[in-house]
Amino acid sequence: MRLHDVERDKPVPLEVDDLSREYAQKLDREDPLGHLKGEFFIPSKADLKSKTLPGTTLNSQPPNTTNTDPCIYLCGNSLGLQPRLTSQLIQTHLSTWATKGVHGHFKPLDDSPLPTWVQADEVAAEQMAGIVGALPSEVAVMGTLTGNLHLLMSSFYRPQVGEGGRWRVIMEGKAFPSDHFAVESQIRSHNLDPSNALILINPPSPDNPLLSTSQILATITKHAPQTSLLLLPGIQYYTGQLFDMHTITAHAHSHGILVGWDLAHAVGNVELNLHDWDVDFAVWCSYKYLNAGPGAIAGLFVNERHGRVEEGRGVEGYRHRLGGWWGGDKGVRFRMENEFHPIPGALGYQLSNPSILSLTSLLSSLSLFSRATPVLLRKKSTSLTSYLHHLLTTFFPPPSSTLTIITPSNPAERGAQLSIRLKEGLLEGVMKGLEEEGVVVDERKPDVVRVAPTALYNSFGDVWGFVEVLRGVVGRVAGEVEGWRGREAVVVCGRVGREGKESRI
Ligand SMILES: Cc1ncc(COP(=O)(O)O)c(C=O)c1O
């Protein structure tokens, strides 16, 4: 077991025997990104239990939350925490609107850290490009994940049925349902039948929910002649598995298949090099590891070769897409003419003027990312999750009858999240127990708990504290369930005895 020294890029041997809280605190003291935790509101245990908003006023002053008695928040895979800067920047935006009205669109302000509203989308796209490894022109900050997936499929999924045609889409069988619904409905919108046009890659067995790269490549090869598009997640939402995006994209391209990635669980979590990997398109949300708030404005990537616009060729000069005025050339946008001249690159896929409220929230979070590099963040993340893995497998040595980690054990095949499958019957009690102790993680029924230490605001102490609480809760709940099972067994056996019927326990 080795941790990463994020500063010197050297593995640090973990003193395997040292399972103490003091050791976690030592790791925190040595963490060069540790100070970033203070940039976030960490809900206190009391705040989580309260049914009111402590410390807030109706005038919406920033929450009076201090990081005293904080909860252990390991849920960035679902919703990232609020940066302290967000409410300040949003207040600045509201003041701009209140005092400048429509002039906020165009009039730069000497004392505002925010761009004008008409520039805000480009500024956000440029900052986001560094996080996803793209050219600034390949990124647009817009819409929502599922909406953007539809938009990009309308451009990249152009099925041709018949001799030599390609009409199939390959995706995973256990994709996030919204992706599945989007793909099925796209297929139907071309009057095709998903039972023929949709190829699903399913995990080998219920006990092994992971998809190997070789299984994915083999499926691509098998269906290549009829396949138009491959859509996969960078990180699988349920298992936390990180896919080899580079290898898979190259393999699909070698068979003439376009490739799109859903990066909901990958963006802000692992290093991405979308441009160098030659990905065709990608979509993501910004409310998980990007901390922009629930339902905040999302993002998309369009490879530069698909975003080209050749002047003078009308609709022949650019890739087909569903159009809207905000995708139109800024130079002529406000002439209100009916001929569409898309902005070259991903910005040419925009439809509407974006929510500046939402963009402001995202810009706040992106400013924190600019205080670390993706490489540093990934190294800290790898260390945190490896530490979590180490503690869990030490206290629940595999094969454990109580819990199994279904996420790959190789750090290169996962991001921040570990998905823990609990023994049947334990989930509800364990989640309740964790909540009572001020631990925030999330569940996927019937038996999985997802735990995601996040490099920007989690500490080794959080990880240690979580495992400590989990041990107590599991011990208690597993004992209760065993006791309950024992009583049930006695009752059923008694009935079998009395009524003489066969029964299974
Ligand atoms: C992998 C994945 N895809 C798609 C979605 C849907 O996102 P949205 O509701 O922002 O469209 C989610 C939401 O959590 C997700 O995790």
Side-chain angles (χ1 to χ4, degrees), residues 148 252 325 387:
N148 290 343
W325 79 314
Y387 182 56

Side-chain angles (χ1 to χ4, degrees), residues 239-395:
T239 62
Q241 181 181 8
L242 168 61
F243 292 106
D244 183 346
M245 290 177 249
H246 192 189
T247 302
I248 294 169
T249 302
H251 185 75
H253 280 175
S254 74
H255 288 281
I257 298 169
L258 291 173
V259 185
W261 292 94
D262 174 344
L263 302 177
H265 289 262
V267 70
N269 178 7
V270 292
E271 272 179 83
L272 297 167
N273 288 303
L274 300 184
H275 179 81
D276 288 349
W277 297 340
D278 205 26
V279 162
D280 293 293
F281 73 89
V283 289
W284 57 87
C285 56
S286 58
Y287 44 80
K288 297 179 188 289
Y289 298 99
L290 290 184
N291 313 307
I297 194 159
L300 60 80
F301 167 91
V302 174
N303 192 300
E304 67 170 342
R305 74 174 167 283
H306 298 302
R308 292 200 183 111
V309 179
E310 290 178 41
E311 288 306 323
R313 294 191 59 218
V315 290
E316 301 297 323
Y318 57 88
R319 191 179 186 88
H320 165 79
R321 80 274 318 256
L322 297 181
W325 79 314
W326 217 255
D329 189 338
K330 278 187 180 175
V332 293
R333 185 186 284 164
F334 292 98
R335 287 192 204 150
M336 310 316 252
E337 289 166 355
N338 273 348
E339 196 178 337
F340 182 57
H341 294 277
I343 306 172
L347 292 181
Y349 278 77
Q350 294 175 112
L351 295 180
S352 303
N353 74 106
S355 157
I356 302 297
L357 203 59
S358 194
L359 263 176
T360 302
S361 178
L362 177 62
L363 285 172
S364 154
S365 174
L366 293 181
S367 75
L368 292 177
F369 277 88
S370 72
R371 291 171 60 182
T373 63
V375 175
L376 275 184
L377 283 168
R378 172 65 170 150
K379 282 179 183 161
K380 173 167 178 195
S381 170
T382 309
S383 300
L384 276 175
T385 302
S386 296
Y387 182 56
L388 173 61
H389 193 274
H390 173 64
L391 292 181
L392 286 171
T393 50
T394 302
F395 289 115

